[in-house]
Amino acid sequence: MSSQEQRLAHHVAIVTGASSGIGIAVAEALGLAGAAVIVNYHSQDKPAQELVDRLEKAGGRARAVKADVSKEEDVLRLFDAATDAFGRVDLLVANSGVQKDAGIAEMTLADWNTVIDINLTGQFLCAREAVRRFRAQDKAKRPARSAGSIIAMSSVHEVIPWAGHINYASAKGGIRMLTRSLAQEVAADGIRVNAIAPGAIRTPINKEAWETEAALEKLLTLIPYGRIGEPEDVARAAVWLASDEADYVTGTTLFVDGGMTLYPEFRDNG
Ligand code: NAD
């Protein structure tokens, strides 16, 4: 492979929620770009192990590790698994996320807490551990120009309000400021922190928005570029953001949304 294709050679990456959807595609793309990958899963061990097998078959290195990102002890174990298996950690893609949708009057405290715990506190716990490990690692052994890189999986709902999903939108809005504040805090350590904000990507989390023709047609009215996104669209962005090509990029959110955040309803309102 060319050096361009292997631009993450010698990197060790942790991808959370890598047993489904965007996480699988991101972990696979990082692995094919040369990174050794810790494939985190919460409940679905089969797709996680299948991904590990695919990466190993392609000549890569990978391990599946079960952990709940909302639990402190699990997150510590996840990072220990990376250092035990591959000796270091260079990249975190904090991708795990869930939805528990309801209008405010019907939303239970449990639905609120579950989404905040996984989608926001999980990001905090993983980012904190990543920073601790990045700071402690031998600078001479870095595979990248940075001392480590964090990519938080956000959403267009870090800026687009979303009725009926206030727990999810609040968590993603929180990720926006977590990303920016943390990037400011750790830039002097040589650590980069960014987010990716996907628009509508075809995965199990939003199946009802694309599985029927009528639903897909309605969804497409929100996407100026005229197609639903695929997990690979996000994965390619993640590989670039993780690589030295993006070395001067920190504290930003990269929107991968086909223009969903461009107020498409204003197209004919000029
Ligand atoms: P998905 O449901 O296919 O994947 C979610 C992943 O999170 C799964 O692997 C699941 O096991 C994992 N997960 C859930 N709870 C966990 C926990 N407690 N600990 C560890 N892992 C846990 O959905 P997806 O679309 O691939 O979503 C991935 C990320 O992308 C999420 O953060 C989601 O909010 C974000 N996102 C998705 C879209 C989209 O259109 N699909 C749009 C914007 C943002």
Side-chain angles (χ1 to χ4, degrees):
M1 279 199 200
S2 72
S3 59
Q4 176 71 12
E5 284 166 329
Q6 285 288 289
R7 55 192 149 155
L8 298 179
H10 311 298
H11 289 60
V12 177
I14 295 176
V15 183
T16 69
S19 58
S20 178
I22 292 171
I24 289 188
V26 168
E28 189 147 18
L30 297 176
L32 293 176
V37 187
I38 295 292
V39 175
N40 161 246
Y41 67 95
H42 179 237
S43 44
Q44 306 155 284
D45 58 334
K46 195 162 173 269
Q49 194 49 53
E50 285 168 357
L51 171 56
V52 168
D53 294 345
R54 277 202 303 283
L55 285 171
E56 286 182 342
K57 227 178 185 174
R61 296 182 301 157
R63 293 273 191 294
V65 179
K66 183 177 167 76
D68 179 338
V69 295
S70 67
K71 300 218 160 71
E72 192 169 22
E73 61 280 11
D74 279 27
V75 171
L76 300 188
R77 217 174 19 77
L78 178 62
F79 279 77
D80 285 344
T83 44
D84 289 350
F86 304 125
R88 55 184 296 112
V89 186
D90 305 291
L91 171 64
L92 164 69
V93 181
N95 164 77
S96 296
V98 293
Q99 282 184 222
K100 299 264 177 212
D101 309 329
I104 180 93
E106 290 74 42
M107 188 174 285
T108 63
L109 180 58
D111 287 347
W112 171 268
N113 282 338
T114 300
V115 171
I116 297 296
D117 286 352
I118 296 170
N119 295 20
L120 185 56
T121 307
Q123 294 269 347
F124 157 71
L125 290 171
C126 290
R128 184 181 67 174
E129 202 50 34
V131 167
R132 287 173 174 163
R133 310 269 167 148
F134 295 162
R135 280 180 173 157
Q137 284 173 164
D138 183 352
K139 286 191 172 58
K141 292 192 178 147
R142 285 182 192 174
R145 290 181 72 182
S146 74
S149 172
I150 295 171
I151 299 174
M153 201 56 70
S154 182
S155 161
V156 288
H157 296 295
E158 73 164 49
V159 293
I160 301 178
W162 205 14
H165 306 75
I166 59 160
N167 46 4
Y168 185 86
S170 300
K172 297 300 185 183
I175 289 176
R176 179 176 176 80
M177 285 313 284
L178 188 158
T179 299
R180 290 153 61 90
S181 302
L182 182 59
Q184 190 190 60
E185 185 169 323
V186 300
D189 296 297
I191 297 170
R192 298 193 296 117
V193 187
N194 292 289
I196 293 177
I201 309 296
R202 195 194 308 267
T203 76
I205 209 173
N206 57 357
K207 209 167 167 207
E208 71 290 348
W210 52 262
E211 66 183 343
T212 67
E213 224 167 276
L216 184 60
E217 201 176 311
K218 187 164 169 242
L219 179 67
L220 290 180
T221 65
L222 300 175
I223 310 172
Y225 201 57
R227 70 166 172 87
I228 189 168
E230 303 298 339
E232 292 71 26
D233 288 308
V234 179
R236 283 186 289 271
V239 171
W240 175 77
L241 206 44
S243 75
D244 273 353
E245 289 172 53
D247 184 58
Y248 207 51
V249 180
T250 194
T252 199
T253 297
L254 177 54
F255 286 81
V256 182
D257 70 350
M260 193 179 242
T261 41
L262 299 176
Y263 298 94
E265 61 276 32
F266 275 76
R267 267 178 298 195
D268 306 317
N269 259 344

